[in-house]
Amino acid sequence: MNNHIPQIDLKALFLGDKGENVDLFKELLLKMVDEHVGWRQNYQPEDLPVITPFDKSEKSFQDTANHMRNVFDELSAKLRSQSLPWHTAGRFWGHMNSETLMPAIIAYSAAMLWNGNNVAYESSPGTSQMEEEVGHQLCKLMSYDEGTSWGHICADGSIANFEGLWYARNLKSLPLAIKEIAPEHVEGKSEWQLLNMSTEQTLDIMAKLPEKLDEIKENSARSGRYLSKLGKWLIPQTKHYSWLKAGDILGIGLDAIEAIDVDSTYHMNIEKLEARIRELASQNIPILGVVGVVGSTEEGQVDHIHKIVALREKLFEEEGIYFYIHVDAAYGGYARAIFLDENDHFMDYDKINEVYKRNQVFMDRKLKDEWLTEEIYNDFKAMSQVESITIDPHKMGYIPYSAGAIVIRDIRMRDAISYFATYVFEKGADIPALLGAYIMEGSKAGATAAAVWTAHKVLPLNITGYGKLMGASIEGAYRFYNFLKNKKFNVNGKVITAYPLTKPDFNMVDYVFNVEGNTDLEKMNKLNHDFFDQSSYVKGDLYDNEFFTSHTDFAVPDYGNSPLEYVKSLGFTTEEWERVKKVTILRACALSPYAHDPEVFEYYEKKLEEAMRENLEKALNG
């Protein structure tokens, strides 16, 4: 069998803006259906069919089939009339929806025929093994050591984030439980020292106590004990709302979750993070963990992961303060592929241009230089040093929903959260059989694992595959960003200018429109909200809309004064910001796998400009 990976052509991987690859799609899908039916026919071929020609000739059979056809006609009508055109090459600049990978769609559809439940290994040996392989692939994407790390697919990024906090909560409490069950292993340590043991130190002790593992876990935070002693879970203001839900569900409480200010470019302020950790330590309040975001939900920004890691090393070495680090890379995790060379090694910074050229990544080198700073490079590199990472295949993996994932740096961490149910798997069995013991979910679709596995086989998680797709997405984002900069529209005698929020760290472009001379922040917010109404599902026939975007509010309760510098740059006063306390932002996830092409973008650029002008006119008149 030839496993050679060709020079990937992204245009061959998607159904296409106008369904250009429908013949290839049908060929592969029909092949998978035929082979599935052949498998059914070949299993115990002496068994006679239970649906006979006589059955099919019955009027009730035919009526039922026609009824089913009618229902599918209705389904098609609803989908065609009430779905957003996220597949378009250059008109959808909105939420995190996009054209999905054709191989993933086909694999998902095909695997559903086999109806695997990946928690019960006996019902899904094939797709369970695929999920195990996917977990190792995602660990390699994060440069975790092969063989000592682990990962799995889950429903979404929220579940992955829940699991990250679940790991941190249980691990933080284990030294307290060890002191009760096996005190000789933590002899002489104060409670403060126990609550500041590193993850590795805790796991090393647990490895020496296999016969007492269950008893120690029974006396950990799992039992409800120590929850009030575990300290604070620190997240940036750009956090996803799932962290609040996780704190609620896992019992540490919303009071234990604290947002650290972000700066004017929407990165967690590391100086304020350090100051808050020291302030809490002075009150004998430990730090349960710190979350860094790689690809924030509203801005697409990348927190300074390398500075968070360096801060932990400094505090632990100098003052014995330790905290768990989780990276929420639900959105940006796959972008790490753009830093891995053909052999999956994280590239040296000075080798990147050479490797990009060899693999035809970034058609416009100027856009690459505009995006890739040493700061961003170091942040992605440092991801290999954190305990756990959320990654969503159904975002930048271009996989159908629902497919989130989490990876952990040390496979021994699983013992802190494991449960066993003998009817599903046997303790001591191979890893795929044990999947359900180490995850939050129960039954889960094997089709998801097949979709992700297939996508990773077609597109390796390095510069030859996903790195190329990530590069196209970032390049398209920068084309849109540069298109917006100082773009002016003449509308009803007024000049309206577009103002991007900040230079993107990834592929999210936020921006606002403001009428020249306007100093009323509420009026600008209304203009942008009304523009969104005209550029979304809210008004009119979806088929008539030539441009789609998304929107959000940056308000004081969530963002503090981090938007102030941007608001002032638009001509508003500090007093005006303090009066209104929010700015309405238009938000574009640049996920099109086609818009990086200069000819494609040039074609849509003119159409975008005219569609924006028309929607601004409607917004002003509305």
Side-chain angles (χ1 to χ4, degrees), residues 408-419:
I408 55 175
R409 189 178 180 210
D410 192 325
I411 194 172
R412 298 177 300 171
M413 287 167 54
R414 298 184 314 173
D415 288 332
I417 64 169
S418 61
Y419 283 85

Side-chain angles (χ1 to χ4, degrees), residues 164-178 194-195 197-200 202-203 206 220-222 230 288 322 324 387-388 408 410 412-417:
L165 182 52
W166 190 19
Y167 278 115
R169 184 199 73 170
N170 285 12
L171 284 164
K172 193 76 164 179
S173 69
L174 284 175
L176 300 178
I178 291 170
L194 293 174
L195 287 167
M197 285 175 57
S198 73
T199 298
E200 186 175 8
T202 300
L203 293 174
M206 294 293 286
S220 70
R222 163 180 292 185
L230 302 183
L288 173 56
Y322 186 88
Y324 185 104
E387 275 94 338
S388 55
I408 55 175
D410 192 325
R412 298 177 300 171
M413 287 167 54
R414 298 184 314 173
D415 288 332
I417 64 169

Side-chain angles (χ1 to χ4, degrees), residues 101-154:
L101 283 164
M102 186 166 60
I105 299 170
I106 296 168
Y108 194 101
S109 302
M112 282 193 295
L113 293 169
W114 306 84
N115 197 32
N117 170 11
N118 269 24
V119 167
Y121 181 63
E122 65 181 84
S123 82
S124 59
T127 53
S128 287
Q129 289 173 27
M130 291 179 199
E131 180 160 356
E132 181 189 24
E133 193 170 338
V134 163
H136 290 310
Q137 291 165 348
L138 292 173
C139 286
K140 183 180 285 188
L141 175 62
M142 296 301 132
S143 300
Y144 282 172
D145 289 339
E146 193 172 356
T148 60
S149 55
W150 186 73
H152 73 90
I153 297 168
C154 49

